[in-house]
Amino acid sequence: MKLYNTLTKKVEEFKENVPGKVSMYTCGPTVYHFAHIGNLRSYIEEDVLEKTLRYAGYDVKRVMNITDVGHLSSDADTGEDKMLAGAKREHKTVMEIADFYTKAFFSDMEKLNIKMPDVVEPATHCIDEFIHMIEILLEKGYAYRSGENIYFDTSKLPEYYVFGNQSEEELMVGVRDDVTEDTNKRNKNDFVLWFTKSKFEDQALKWDSPWGVGYPGWHIECSCISMKHLGEQLDIHCGGVDNIFPHHTNEIAQSESYLGHKWCNYWFHVHHLNDRAGKMSKSKGNILTVTVLQEKGYDPLAYRFFCLQSHYRKPLEFSFDALDNAAAAYTKLLKRTLSIVKQAGNDPINQEVFDTYKAKFLDAVSNDVNTSSALTVVYDVLKADIDNATKAALIRSFDEVLSLNLAAETEEKAVEENGEKDELTLYVEEMIAKRVAAKKEKNFAEADRIRNELLEKGIVLKDTREGTLWEKA
Ligand code: AMP
Ligand code: ZN
């Protein structure tokens, strides 16, 4: 397994701490809003990484937190409390907001075939662990009390910017809005471990602590939750690139100061999904969610396919045109794989051929999670002069990692079972066929009439290179 490590800025041969076992930690969502499809890009890529490791034979334990307290609108401890802002926006309690958006996130994961991590832990369940870690950091002299809050003292570290020479611009990535200088800090990068004096008079969630009633900072939760379930040595830590600074930098600072030794060996960062206006972000509002994609007629797995077509270490530009192309290619791929499964029946497979292609696929995905090369292997198998039974077995095997429901007969059943949708599909397809025929005869008036008739019924047609696609308006 080869993995790019943000810590060393190199593609490295992956070496686990305990032979055969991999511990993996994922920064979970801040549950004050729906996850947008950018957030979900990160979770899709992390899911492929986990499944690749399992496919390669590792016994993986993966842990994810749910941030339901402590995350301010700037990742550098300033701005609004995100959970509180969500509660105010919707006239609900913070816990209601957390519960609602956690469930929405799980539902998105399910739609995108993202495996639930082995452990999912909300930050509010681990307050005792946070307090314990902060006590040790104070004892060891890595933390101080000022203005009634507890801060981590970054000047005590031999090296704080462990991820290298970030430019000022990069350093500002996590600092979103409303940045006001905190005069209690001894050093500019010091960060809050525990708030007792909050600027939010109506802070909803507070707990007793040795320093008074208060609540934890954001960064402490990932260090604690990871150590609680995965121990003192972590193999892989994941997140989007915006987490590199300050979140992951601060996690390393406090974890290694607490432990007195190196904590995590590999840092896996997924680059952003951007739209024309730049990075997709929850705080910008008007975000694209999986539900919105579904309402527009897209299969969520077409979005997963769209993500897998490119590499996780490159920014990905989202547009509906690009998604349309991916959706058309995905539908075609589904049809091809389904037809192979049907033809294959229960014929025996050719083990030698199976092993050869499986090795090619594993080579591709374990080369720093190169999903587009892995998809090329899928197409190579479809084109290859090999029997259908072996092809079907290979496609099913690859789908353990890709999770695109390739060769899954349920895909066909899902369409059959949905009578209403099926009827609509049949009708629209018939109209599209008529329109194609009209265009062939250069009867453009008739073609336009058909388009308008469908539009009146709320169906929008899109002409693409792959043919005419449709969606509900
Ligand atoms: P949040 O819910 O804001 O804490 O973010 C959840 C995850 O999504 C984190 O790993 C972020 O780094 C990641 N993320 C945020 N914005 C994007 C984006 N536009 N593209 C990809 N990943 C993102
Ligand atoms: Zn985190």
Side-chain angles (χ1 to χ4, degrees):
M1 181 85 200
K2 289 198 184 76
L3 265 190
Y4 179 83
N5 187 353
T6 316
L7 209 51
T8 57
K9 297 200 167 38
K10 283 190 198 114
V11 176
E12 292 176 35
E13 193 59 51
F14 173 71
K15 179 109 192 50
E16 70 278 27
N17 283 304
V18 179
K21 290 186 186 295
V22 178
S23 55
M24 190 172 166
Y25 184 82
T26 295
C27 285
T30 309
V31 283
Y32 71 110
H33 216 312
F34 291 109
H36 55 64
I37 58 171
N39 299 125
L40 290 159
R41 179 193 190 196
S42 286
Y43 296 108
I44 288 170
E45 301 295 346
E46 293 162 7
D47 180 64
V48 176
L49 169 61
E50 175 186 349
K51 287 172 178 166
T52 300
L53 289 161
R54 290 183 192 274
Y55 198 68
Y58 289 103
D59 175 8
V60 183
K61 182 171 178 189
R62 179 157 170 223
V63 175
M64 180 175 79
N65 68 308
I66 298 284
T67 299
D68 53 0
V69 68
H71 197 173
L72 305 192
S73 62
S74 143
D75 290 344
D77 294 339
T78 55
E80 254 186 315
D81 178 306
K82 291 188 177 189
M83 295 303 299
L84 208 56
K88 279 185 187 154
R89 185 185 65 228
E90 297 184 21
H91 309 289
K92 289 187 182 150
T93 66
V94 166
M95 276 346 268
E96 281 167 349
I97 289 289
D99 186 53
F100 178 82
Y101 288 112
T102 302
K103 285 188 182 131
F105 178 68
F106 290 165
S107 151
D108 287 344
M109 284 175 73
E110 205 179 320
K111 288 176 192 169
L112 291 164
N113 279 352
I114 297 170
K115 181 186 165 295
M116 188 66 83
D118 303 286
V119 178
V120 177
E121 181 95 76
T124 49
H125 290 195
C126 301
I127 303 297
D128 289 346
E129 283 89 347
F130 304 160
I131 291 175
H132 172 73
M133 190 183 238
I134 298 167
E135 278 180 317
I136 303 290
L137 289 171
L138 279 161
E139 256 171 56
K140 288 189 162 188
Y142 286 107
Y144 60 92
R145 190 170 186 168
S146 173
E148 295 170 59
N149 294 329
I150 310 294
Y151 293 86
F152 186 90
D153 187 349
T154 53
S155 71
K156 292 277 157 43
L157 301 172
E159 192 192 3
Y160 171 64
Y161 295 114
V162 285
F163 288 110
N165 319 312
Q166 288 109 331
S167 65
E168 274 300 313
E169 200 182 317
E170 274 175 302
L171 293 178
M172 290 303 286
V173 168
V175 184
R176 285 176 192 137
D177 53 49
D178 190 17
V179 183
T180 46
E181 200 61 48
D182 180 347
T183 50
N184 298 317
K185 289 184 186 183
R186 288 185 192 158
N187 313 289
K188 141 172 142 297
N189 288 311
D190 291 356
F191 54 93
V192 179
L193 297 166
W194 187 268
F195 292 92
T196 64
K197 184 152 174 42
S198 163
K199 60 177 177 168
F200 315 113
E201 293 305 325
D202 50 352
Q203 181 67 29
L205 299 175
K206 292 179 201 166
W207 293 265
D208 266 337
S209 82
W211 320 287
V213 175
Y215 62 100
W218 173 42
H219 313 294
I220 193 83
E221 68 179 81
C222 287
S223 295
C224 279
I225 293 174
S226 167
M227 281 181 214
K228 178 176 172 185
H229 298 286
L230 298 168
E232 292 192 359
Q233 252 138 6
L234 180 62
D235 289 309
I236 307 173
H237 194 309
C238 314
V241 282
D242 60 312
N243 283 163
I244 296 175
F245 186 87
H247 186 47
H248 290 166
T249 304
N250 291 350
E251 278 188 46
I252 293 176
Q254 67 204 1
S255 298
E256 298 194 347
S257 304
Y258 167 80
L259 291 168
H261 60 72
K262 187 165 178 180
W263 172 47
C264 175
N265 287 336
Y266 299 88
W267 289 84
F268 178 88
H269 288 115
V270 180
H271 278 255
H272 283 148
L273 181 82
N274 301 314
D275 54 23
R276 276 193 203 113
K279 177 191 168 238
M280 206 168 274
S281 138
K282 284 188 210 177
S283 49
K284 282 188 193 161
N286 199 18
I287 54 173
L288 259 183
T289 62
V290 170
T291 310
V292 171
L293 293 188
Q294 280 182 300
E295 282 165 4
K296 288 182 183 288
Y298 294 99
D299 179 342
L301 292 181
Y303 177 65
R304 184 174 172 110
F305 182 82
F306 170 72
C307 291
L308 300 192
Q309 284 178 315
S310 62
H311 195 249
Y312 77 92
R313 271 200 293 124
K314 289 200 182 113
L316 179 59
E317 167 114 7
F318 179 84
S319 70
F320 279 103
D321 283 346
L323 184 62
D324 283 342
N325 287 337
Y330 175 61
T331 307
K332 232 170 155 180
L333 181 60
L334 269 184
K335 281 188 187 153
R336 282 174 81 183
T337 54
L338 269 169
S339 110
I340 282 168
V341 170
K342 278 196 193 149
Q343 291 170 58
N346 290 325
D347 291 349
I349 68 160
N350 182 330
Q351 194 61 48
E352 208 181 312
V353 172
F354 180 90
D355 292 344
T356 308
Y357 278 99
K358 185 174 171 176
K360 280 188 190 176
F361 179 82
L362 188 56
D363 246 19
V365 269
S366 49
N367 181 14
D368 195 24
V369 198
N370 196 331
T371 48
S372 63
S373 300
L375 286 173
T376 304
V377 179
V378 174
Y379 286 108
D380 286 348
V381 165
L382 292 175
K383 275 188 293 191
D385 186 17
I386 53 179
D387 63 274
N388 283 326
T390 309
K391 279 188 184 180
L394 279 164
I395 302 295
R396 282 204 182 101
S397 168
F398 300 165
D399 207 52
E400 288 172 33
V401 175
L402 303 173
S403 296
L404 291 166
N405 289 2
L406 299 181
E409 275 152 294
T410 47
E411 278 300 291
E412 208 171 40
K413 274 197 207 113
V415 177
E416 280 167 13
E417 276 164 16
N418 191 343
E420 193 189 288
K421 183 176 163 194
D422 213 24
E423 236 171 63
L424 178 70
T425 306
L426 284 173
Y427 163 72
V428 178
E429 282 178 354
E430 197 188 313
M431 295 298 274
I432 290 175
K434 279 186 186 161
R435 185 167 163 266
V436 170
K439 274 173 121 180
K440 248 191 195 155
E441 288 163 12
K442 300 211 179 323
N443 188 350
F444 299 111
E446 173 64 3
D448 286 347
R449 192 197 62 74
I450 293 172
R451 179 192 277 278
N452 290 335
E453 185 180 322
L454 286 171
L455 200 58
E456 275 167 25
K457 294 190 164 72
I459 305 294
V460 181
L461 299 186
K462 270 192 190 154
D463 294 316
T464 74
R465 265 186 304 170
E466 310 281 344
T468 303
L469 303 176
W470 63 276
E471 65 183 26
K472 288 187 198 161

